Amino acid sequence: MKPASVFMLGLLCALPGLAAIEGVVTNLSTGQPQAGVEVTLQRLTTTGKEQAGAARTDAGGAFRFDAPAPGNHLLQVVHQGVTYSHMMPQGAPAQGIRMEIYDVGRSGAQTKVSQHMILFEPTGSIVQVTETLAVLNSGKTTYNDPGSGTLRLFVPKEAGEDLIISAQTTQGMPLERPLEKTGQDSVYMVDYPIRPGETRFNLVYTVPRTEATAFASRILHSGQLRVVAPSGVTLTSDALTQIGQEPTMMASVYEVKGPAFSLEIRGEGTLRSDDHSHEEEAETGRGMRPIRPHLYNRLYWILGLTLLILLVGFLALAGAQKLHAGGQGSKPAGPRG
């Protein structure tokens, strides 16, 4: 056999091995590889997901899939009722994959809302309201409580009842979940596991707009709430204190005092483009959907406004500290010992 033929034969024999998917599942709650869990491989197509295989981890937490078909894939592990995913776009490294999971707990003692922002955008006959909450889990277990929910929100009755909230972890894709009613009036819960680290929730709804739209709500957490108004929109309330304005978008940021508040919305303005050309994606699983494209595009505005709020808060704090230091510096020096 010619050397070239031998080389090509060897290359063809090596291709399945090179194309194999290999990785390790690690439990970050214990710090150890997770043995005996099932890893599923799904191929993502234009029509949905296709099951491409399943493998169980060995004693060292390792798993392997031989030469799957070309395309984009998704690896998933279900551990104690919570699903953990790893996206594999075509061409991504297929070896050395590290899938991280956590044990599950039903206590939310180490979970808190670190940021809560409400953006008001009055246009035409409606006011579009976007609420963004950043929830921080500082523990080592995933907080999950399907019966009572892991997050509760007060939503005005004018918003209706068919409400969808999106959730996204730091490294994950945004997913949608329905808000579920509780026994309390206008209080909804979210059935979504909150992993260690930050999970960001986004809720968009509308209320009818009048010349002076009245909006009332309640804060159901101990974190801080700030509200944002675009240029051309005025918010009036004794519960509001303006803390800054973004110079590019001219969006005004207010701090809310007290757990219950009401405000008056006047004017018209928006931070978004009126692009309704995107079609909504079909549901791919019960109780869980990829976030709608038009809302996904709005996440860039939401992220920008969240950073704006952090910046305004930082500048306000720095200004207060400077003023305090200046006041101390103006005092006459006392006698030296």
Side-chain angles (χ1 to χ4, degrees), residues 16-54:
L18 292 174
I21 297 175
E22 298 177 343
V24 174
V25 178
T26 303
N27 188 327
L28 296 187
S29 297
T30 63
Q32 301 295 322
Q34 186 70 45
V37 292
E38 186 178 68
V39 182
T40 60
L41 177 66
Q42 300 177 49
R43 184 169 176 265
L44 306 179
T45 70
T46 56
T47 58
K49 295 185 290 187
E50 296 178 353
Q51 192 73 14

Side-chain angles (χ1 to χ4, degrees), residues 34 36 38 80 101 120 129 146 165 201 210 219 235 240-241 250 253 287 294 306-307 330:
Q34 186 70 45
E38 186 178 68
Q80 297 180 357
I101 65 174
F120 296 101
V129 184
I165 194 168
F201 293 90
T210 60
I219 307 172
L235 304 180
L240 298 185
T241 301
M250 300 301 293
V253 183
H294 72 272
T306 305
L307 295 175
S330 63

Side-chain angles (χ1 to χ4, degrees), residues 90-264:
Q90 185 168 344
Q95 283 80 43
I97 295 172
R98 178 183 169 91
M99 293 195 68
E100 298 174 345
I101 65 174
Y102 298 89
D103 288 339
V104 175
R106 295 195 179 267
S107 171
Q110 294 182 299
T111 301
K112 67 175 184 179
V113 176
S114 58
Q115 291 283 335
H116 186 180
M117 176 190 74
I118 303 179
L119 167 64
F120 296 101
E121 296 176 292
T123 56
S125 61
I126 63 169
V127 178
Q128 180 156 294
V129 184
T130 303
E131 296 202 33
T132 300
L133 298 95
V135 181
L136 181 65
N137 182 348
S138 59
K140 290 186 177 182
T141 59
T142 293
Y143 171 39
N144 192 34
D145 190 350
S148 301
T150 54
L151 178 68
R152 294 200 168 202
L153 289 170
F154 181 93
V155 183
K157 291 181 180 179
E158 296 81 1
E161 298 182 349
D162 186 16
L163 300 171
I164 297 293
I165 194 168
S166 73
Q168 184 178 19
T169 59
T170 305
Q171 298 178 342
M173 294 179 62
L175 297 171
E176 288 186 346
R177 289 286 177 89
L179 281 184
E180 301 180 21
K181 292 182 179 180
T182 67
Q184 298 174 275
D185 193 28
S186 296
V187 176
Y188 293 81
M189 73 173 192
V190 184
D191 177 15
Y192 187 86
I194 300 178
R195 307 171 192 180
E198 185 181 87
T199 301
R200 193 170 298 274
F201 293 90
N202 295 292
L203 172 65
V204 179
Y205 55 89
T206 62
V207 297
R209 180 183 173 224
T210 60
E211 183 179 351
T213 305
F215 182 89
S217 187
R218 287 194 289 123
I219 307 172
L220 304 181
H221 56 78
S222 59
Q224 197 167 42
L225 171 65
R226 292 186 172 99
V227 297
V228 180
S231 176
V233 178
T234 302
L235 304 180
T236 306
S237 173
D238 293 336
L240 298 185
T241 301
Q242 186 168 356
I243 60 174
Q245 189 175 60
E246 198 279 330
T248 303
M249 296 182 289
M250 300 301 293
S252 299
V253 183
Y254 301 83
E255 190 171 273
V256 179
K257 296 176 292 185
F261 69 96
S262 60
L263 53 85
E264 190 177 85

